[in-house]
Amino acid sequence: MIQDNAVGSMGRRCNLRYRPYMEQNWTEADSELVGEDTFTLQDPRPHTLYLFQVRCAIMEEGVTTVASDWSRPYSARSAEAAPVGALDVWADAGGGEAPALVWKELPPALSHSAALWYEVRQCGADRSSWVGNRTKEAREGCREAADRGGGGSCCRLYLARCPGVTGVMTEVREVSVSAVNRLGRTQPTHLLFENKDLPAPQSVSYTMEKGNLRVSWVPPPDPSEHVQEFVVQRKEAGLNCSRGFDWIRVNATQRSAILTGVFQNYTPYTVSVFALYSSGHSPPASVTSYTLEGVPPAVPGLSVSQISFSKATVAWEPIPLRESRGRVRRYQVGWVEVGGPEDQQQNITVSGQCQAQVSGLAPGRQYQLWVSAETQVGQGPRSHISLTTYERNGTTASTAHRTWSGAPARPDWIPLSLPLSLTLPLTFKFKLLYWHDQLKYIHSYICGQQLTMMNRTGSLSQSSVVLGDICILFTC
């Protein structure tokens, strides 16, 4: 009730308008309900802050003067009530974390109270026993979820195992969550966890629409149960935590949905679609998506192997998912003879693998090879490596140049271009074109037979050998 105690001896006629604090449009009260100094708002929304304004005109001898301006807003909050509605409860398998129960906080229009908490109950696979009253942890889980910067206001609670009939701890099979305040509670919302025997949606795809993701899918083929609805979920990919986590529910007849919210540019998101049945939900059908792609960085870890007089194999490491700035659709591999004309450069396109065979090379020639990754936006910078092919008779050593960004994962055969001098008894000397800090020893092989182990000096002597190809094995 709004009351104005500044009532004079003369009568007056007043108008009053009001609105919820978070809304912009005013509602003018029925003049018959507005007294000279009081007004009672009928059936207000529970626990809602309202603004009120009043203007009055003086009535003297039946004549009404011009009304005043609207007063400054006066605020008042309505009384609390029991919460209503149902919670949106879901499960997050994590990404290196323990499985968690998640739910979206009840909005103020339904919570009807400032002091709201949640009660979580869970039971094991045998559904014989329930463990409840996790209210304190549930409230803390909401605060932790807000601090994690997820895609929406949701609460997160990591579930413990449940005692079964025999007292043995079992996996959680079913949970229920209720919102509670001092005046009442909502009806519990139940969730059954994943059932791997239930068929999942198929052919999940996405398109970018004005910074949002439109996700499409094909329904499960011939499900044994009726699909009740679909859940479309998203979170950042390639992390050991659930950042950017959010989900929506859509009708079982829908075949697409739009995911909105804050998406980071050049950031991969795992988008998953689940089918919900009366006995649980299916495993996810997932795709990695981007709302905005960029040009990828340089391809790391180039190496060359299986060099012959006419071909060689070039390999590289995949760009880490969190660094690729988009979905790498293909790789471009090119090569040209050193000193040769640029217009004779050749290239091939590689998809779905991180190696390629380059062929059609000339014997005893040096080549410059390059590899670049390509996203929808375009090609990234080229990474280069050089090699020299063997002579056709295979008796002359040839050279491969390689620069490591880290220690090689295993010993690599590196045929060397010497300066090489041979005398009998055999003595040869060479110098390394590249030396990695972590290389400790060099093993020398002649015709596949190990002669001795050298240190960095790079020399050895052997009194009796069979002449043939000389190879050097680098060991870390």
Side-chain angles (χ1 to χ4, degrees):
M1 181 177 70
I2 305 302
Q3 183 171 0
D4 185 354
N5 296 320
V7 181
S9 59
M10 295 178 290
R12 62 183 177 182
R13 183 184 298 274
C14 296
N15 302 105
L16 181 141
R17 64 181 185 180
Y18 62 91
R19 65 177 174 88
Y21 179 79
M22 299 302 295
E23 298 180 9
Q24 299 299 317
N25 297 325
W26 293 90
T27 299
E28 191 157 344
D30 188 338
S31 59
E32 295 182 358
L33 300 177
V34 180
E36 289 187 356
D37 59 357
T38 61
F39 170 75
T40 300
L41 180 61
Q42 303 293 327
D43 299 323
R45 301 176 191 171
H47 197 250
T48 300
L49 183 64
Y50 283 90
L51 296 180
F52 299 87
Q53 285 185 311
V54 180
R55 67 180 179 186
C56 295
I58 302 299
M59 297 179 59
E60 186 175 1
E61 297 179 355
V63 178
T64 303
T65 62
V66 177
S68 66
D69 294 332
W70 289 107
S71 66
R72 291 182 179 180
Y74 171 80
S75 62
R77 187 180 294 276
S78 57
E80 294 184 352
V84 296
L87 294 170
D88 187 354
V89 181
W90 186 234
D92 177 17
E97 296 181 332
L101 180 69
V102 291
W103 65 93
K104 295 183 178 178
E105 286 200 85
L106 204 63
L110 301 177
S111 64
H112 297 171
S113 174
L116 186 74
W117 64 94
Y118 298 93
E119 183 177 84
V120 179
R121 293 172 59 82
Q122 62 189 67
C123 75
D126 55 16
R127 299 190 181 181
S128 61
S129 59
W130 284 83
V131 177
N133 200 22
R134 302 284 296 277
T135 56
K136 182 176 182 296
E137 293 179 56
R139 293 177 68 184
E140 292 174 351
C142 294
R143 289 195 292 270
E144 291 176 5
D147 293 340
R148 296 163 72 96
S153 178
C154 73
C155 304
R156 178 177 295 268
L157 183 65
Y158 295 97
L159 298 175
R161 295 161 70 90
C162 294
V165 176
T166 61
V168 177
M169 302 301 285
T170 64
E171 296 294 335
V172 177
R173 171 58 180 158
E174 184 177 357
V175 295
S176 70
V177 186
S178 300
V180 186
N181 69 12
R182 63 186 182 87
L183 297 174
R185 67 180 59 225
T186 62
Q187 289 295 318
T189 299
H190 291 264
L191 177 69
L192 288 167
F193 284 95
E194 179 180 316
N195 184 341
K196 298 184 182 300
D197 295 330
L198 295 172
Q202 299 180 336
S203 305
V204 177
S205 61
Y206 75 96
T207 56
M208 295 174 284
E209 293 186 3
K210 298 179 180 179
N212 299 320
L213 287 175
R214 176 177 286 276
V215 184
S216 302
W217 62 90
V218 174
D222 302 323
S224 57
E225 297 182 34
H226 173 68
V227 176
Q228 296 179 336
E229 60 182 347
F230 294 102
V231 168
V232 185
Q233 172 191 293
R234 57 100 159 178
K235 61 182 173 181
E236 288 190 32
L239 295 176
N240 287 328
C241 62
S242 295
R243 184 190 299 169
F245 182 85
D246 198 9
W247 73 96
I248 61 173
R249 297 174 181 270
V250 298
N251 192 286
T253 60
Q254 288 187 227
R255 299 296 177 260
S256 67
I258 296 179
L259 292 176
T260 61
V262 178
F263 292 89
Q264 302 296 323
N265 294 338
Y266 319 122
T267 300
Y269 287 86
T270 299
V271 175
S272 304
V273 183
F274 302 79
L276 270 65
Y277 303 86
S278 59
S279 60
H281 65 78
S282 72
S286 302
V287 65
T288 300
S289 62
Y290 295 81
T291 54
L292 181 65
E293 297 190 31
V295 174
V299 174
L302 260 67
S303 63
V304 177
S305 62
Q306 301 178 16
I307 304 172
S308 71
F309 64 87
S310 63
K311 59 186 178 181
T313 298
V314 58
W316 58 92
E317 298 173 7
I319 300 173
L321 181 63
R322 299 288 301 179
E323 302 173 14
S324 62
R325 296 173 60 84
R327 184 170 68 88
V328 175
R329 299 168 182 265
R330 61 188 68 89
Y331 295 94
Q332 297 294 334
V333 180
W335 63 95
V336 65
E337 184 179 345
V338 175
E342 288 293 328
D343 60 2
Q344 292 188 6
Q345 176 174 285
Q346 302 181 62
N347 64 281
I348 57 177
T349 299
V350 179
S351 300
Q353 57 184 349
C354 290
Q355 68 174 27
Q357 186 179 82
V358 296
S359 57
L361 308 179
R365 305 290 178 86
Q366 187 175 7
Y367 288 87
Q368 185 79 20
L369 280 73
W370 57 265
V371 180
S372 67
E374 183 178 341
T375 65
Q376 178 179 289
V377 177
Q379 286 188 38
R382 295 177 176 181
S383 298
H384 294 85
I385 191 171
S386 61
L387 68 87
T388 301
T389 55
Y390 284 100
E391 297 292 350
R392 187 176 294 274
N393 58 19
T395 58
T396 301
S398 55
T399 306
H401 305 267
R402 176 181 176 187
T403 301
W404 287 291
S405 58
R410 57 180 176 77
D412 284 323
W413 281 97
I414 308 293
L416 290 182
S417 166
L418 306 175
L420 175 64
S421 59
L422 295 176
T423 60
L424 292 176
L426 176 64
T427 300
F428 72 87
K429 295 183 178 181
F430 60 89
K431 63 179 180 180
L432 297 177
L433 299 178
Y434 295 94
W435 184 278
H436 190 273
D437 288 342
Q438 297 188 37
L439 291 176
K440 297 178 180 178
Y441 300 101
I442 306 167
H443 296 269
S444 175
Y445 286 77
I446 296 183
C447 297
Q449 235 178 359
Q450 183 174 3
L451 302 180
T452 187
M453 182 169 65
M454 300 173 290
N455 60 18
R456 290 182 181 230
T457 59
S459 64
L460 66 84
S461 295
Q462 180 73 16
S463 59
S464 178
V465 297
V466 178
L467 294 179
D469 292 342
I470 300 176
C471 298
I472 307 299
L473 178 66
F474 287 6
T475 305
C476 293

